[in-house]
Amino acid sequence: MITIGLDFGTHQTKVCAEYKNGVELNYTFFTFLDSTGKQQYTLPSIIHRRPDGRMDYGYIPANSNGEIIRYFKQATFTSSNIGLKQADAMYYSVWYLAFILFDLEEKYGTEFTIQMGVPTDGTRLTHQKQLAVRLLAAAYKLVEEVFENDKQAFLDKTWGELWDMTKIPDYSINLKEEYGILVFPEAYACLMPLISSSKVTSGMSLMVDIGGGTTDISFFTIIDHKPRVYDFTSVNKGLNYLTLAERSAHDTRTDSNIKISSEIDKTRKGDFTNSVNQVCVNLINKLRSEFKHQCNLRVERLMDALKTRPIIYTGGGSTFHELRKGYGGFRDVIHISQKEWRTKAIIDMKKIEILGLCPILSTAYGLSISVPDDNIKCSPFRDVFESIRGLEEENSKKTVDSNFGSAYDGFNYADDWDAWK
């Protein structure tokens, strides 16, 4: 059984495959051929429309004539002001996904399922999941029905011809099940490698995924080696916003990466920091409210506990050190690396480590970890403190010590009472 983790990104797309043989699991990252003939672990999210109307995808030769189109993923899933209408962006997204599907079916046949990530928060999850299913189903129909797996025939069609041949279906559960598509919030997908490796301690944690178009934030704990998610949010500010690149979907660059920190606008960086901080402040306010409602312990206990809890960074934007900082009381800043992965199961792990690709490939890896369904439900905030309900400050030190830590799923702060108090 093969599960494909498809991280369709604003700047670049990554694909990871899980091979399941009984209880044995292996993971391999799909590679793409660049314009120089080298294999790469990422595919630029770029489409090149030639003067004759035909299109190239991903790696585009330098000095190519015609039009470069980018940020179609961002324009499809988020409100943006990049000069690309959502209706047009959806078609570009379908063609780009079809280009990838041709290669996947050539390598794996049709015996695989796709798990895809989308930028979303809890209020838009259903809409975003349905949109992703529609795009992938349209891409599948192009590959399997319209072109019958003939990639060259697809590449020979002009923009206008493809437009007429592409039909984006309405969403239905039957459509979703026909192609076996599962869709997850990108913020949630990033958690899976951490959980599977058991290398993040139980307790309150934040995950921050800084991507090209959005920054996805999730608040979670770990129970029985599974994530319990309480909140996830997608901030419509990523590297595009930070570098002023979101102003145009038609610039002339033939790559998609932000290479140096000097490209980050200082004013935009301050706005970005304020936006992320506001999400975290709102989160802390909810926690404080529930903490006071659940027990009669001093709220300082909660704030002191947060200082030891991790804020975990991933995504392309996390590779810039100045964008990684503590927020909302979370002070233990962690940057995803091979230390947080189940590395023995990953093919080419040494090469990926040397190239520093762990934070960039982490979402694709997480999406490839097979699960039975994509029914993601957030637990209520009151459950964060379910093990200390009713405790009061005047209780004996022993009672408070032994039970308060269990609210964080076994993380016992009684081990260091002086630091804790």
Side-chain angles (χ1 to χ4, degrees):
M1 178 179 176
I2 299 174
T3 301
I4 299 295
L6 176 57
D7 180 13
F8 175 25
T10 296
H11 285 174
Q12 53 195 0
T13 295
K14 291 77 64 179
V15 176
C16 185
E18 177 193 75
Y19 296 82
K20 182 179 290 186
N21 183 13
V23 297
E24 184 178 348
L25 297 174
N26 287 296
Y27 297 88
T28 182
F29 289 96
F30 194 83
T31 56
F32 305 90
L33 198 65
D34 69 14
S35 57
T36 67
K38 295 180 179 179
Q39 296 289 338
Q40 305 290 345
Y41 289 104
T42 62
L43 182 73
S45 299
I46 293 175
I47 294 176
H48 169 233
R49 190 161 69 183
R50 303 179 191 177
D52 64 3
R54 290 182 297 163
M55 292 183 288
D56 305 299
Y57 303 83
Y59 288 100
I60 313 299
N63 303 317
S64 298
N65 294 324
E67 182 181 19
I68 300 292
I69 302 159
R70 63 184 76 241
Y71 309 148
F72 41 88
K73 185 256 187 167
Q74 183 179 359
T76 294
F77 286 100
T78 68
S79 58
S80 60
N81 184 25
I82 59 174
L84 190 61
K85 296 179 180 179
Q86 185 187 38
D88 295 338
M90 289 172 62
Y91 277 82
Y92 285 122
S93 293
V94 169
W95 301 334
Y96 180 82
L97 292 170
F99 176 80
I100 295 172
L101 279 175
F102 276 111
D103 289 344
L104 291 178
E105 293 204 352
E106 181 181 4
K107 182 169 184 177
Y108 303 116
T110 58
E111 299 304 314
F112 62 81
T113 58
I114 285 183
Q115 298 182 169
M116 179 175 167
V118 291
T120 186
D121 54 28
T123 61
R124 298 183 299 143
L125 178 57
T126 298
H127 173 270
Q128 299 290 73
K129 288 172 67 172
Q130 292 181 357
L131 178 55
V133 169
R134 294 173 62 204
L135 298 177
L136 271 175
Y140 265 117
K141 289 181 182 295
L142 280 178
V143 172
E144 297 179 351
E145 299 176 18
V146 176
F147 291 101
E148 298 180 332
N149 291 94
D150 188 340
K151 183 179 180 182
Q152 190 58 51
F154 168 76
L155 294 174
D156 287 340
K157 295 299 180 182
T158 66
W159 174 89
E161 290 171 328
L162 275 180
W163 187 279
D164 293 338
M165 301 170 82
T166 302
K167 307 298 180 186
I168 301 178
D170 293 333
Y171 174 82
S172 71
I173 189 65
N174 289 335
L175 185 72
K176 184 175 186 292
E177 292 176 350
E178 177 183 356
Y179 294 104
I181 299 168
L182 300 183
V183 184
F184 299 89
E186 289 174 347
Y188 178 89
C190 290
L191 301 179
M192 299 309 293
L194 307 180
I195 309 307
S196 65
S197 67
S198 301
K199 293 180 180 178
V200 175
T201 61
S202 302
M204 301 178 293
S205 302
L206 276 183
M207 171 71 79
V208 181
D209 177 9
I210 307 176
T214 62
T215 296
D216 300 299
I217 304 168
S218 57
F219 172 66
F220 66 100
T221 59
I222 300 171
I223 297 177
D224 297 328
H225 304 291
K226 295 180 181 179
R228 178 183 286 186
V229 182
Y230 301 89
D231 194 20
F232 54 87
T233 302
S234 186
V235 178
N236 196 18
K237 293 177 181 176
L239 282 177
N240 278 1
Y241 177 83
L242 286 161
T243 60
L244 308 178
E246 94 289 0
R247 292 179 177 175
S248 174
H250 303 278
D251 64 36
T252 58
R253 290 177 297 132
T254 56
D255 64 19
S256 57
N257 296 325
I258 308 301
K259 295 181 174 61
I260 55 177
S261 58
S262 61
E263 295 182 64
I264 297 174
D265 181 79
K266 292 182 179 179
T267 300
R268 289 288 183 93
K269 178 185 172 185
D271 293 341
F272 168 84
T273 298
N274 290 337
S275 295
V276 176
N277 188 63
Q278 188 57 56
V279 171
C280 295
V281 168
N282 292 341
L283 169 65
I284 297 302
N285 287 340
K286 290 180 182 179
L287 288 174
R288 289 169 64 98
S289 177
E290 281 298 332
F291 185 83
K292 290 189 287 187
H293 180 72
Q294 299 280 347
C295 64
N296 290 318
L297 301 174
R298 292 180 294 109
V299 74
E300 287 79 10
R301 289 175 176 263
L302 169 64
M303 301 311 296
D304 284 345
L306 291 178
K307 294 177 183 178
T308 68
R309 301 308 305 154
I311 176 168
I312 306 162
Y313 281 90
T314 188
S318 73
T319 60
F320 295 97
H321 182 269
E322 60 267 40
L323 298 182
R324 305 194 305 265
K325 57 179 294 184
Y327 287 99
F330 290 83
R331 293 290 178 262
D332 184 14
V333 177
I334 296 174
H335 192 211
I336 285 288
S337 69
Q338 70 279 3
K339 296 178 182 178
E340 287 76 40
W341 283 12
R342 186 192 292 172
T343 55
K344 291 183 179 180
I346 299 175
I347 299 172
D348 287 343
M349 186 63 236
K350 193 63 179 179
K351 183 177 180 180
I352 291 168
E353 179 184 349
I354 291 172
L355 293 173
L357 290 176
C358 287
I360 293 172
L361 299 177
S362 190
T363 298
Y365 174 27
L367 286 167
S368 72
I369 298 173
S370 56
V371 294
D373 59 64
D374 56 1
N375 298 320
I376 305 301
K377 295 182 179 180
C378 287
S379 299
F381 270 81
R382 65 176 180 272
D383 288 352
V384 179
F385 307 112
E386 59 188 351
S387 296
I388 60 169
R389 288 172 185 160
L391 281 183
E392 298 183 3
E393 196 66 45
E394 59 265 32
N395 283 358
S396 69
K397 172 183 170 183
K398 180 178 180 181
T399 302
V400 173
D401 285 356
S402 60
N403 289 312
F404 188 59
S406 64
Y408 305 95
D409 311 315
F411 189 88
N412 194 343
Y413 291 95
D415 293 340
D416 191 353
W417 174 249
D418 290 334
W420 178 223
K421 69 184 179 181

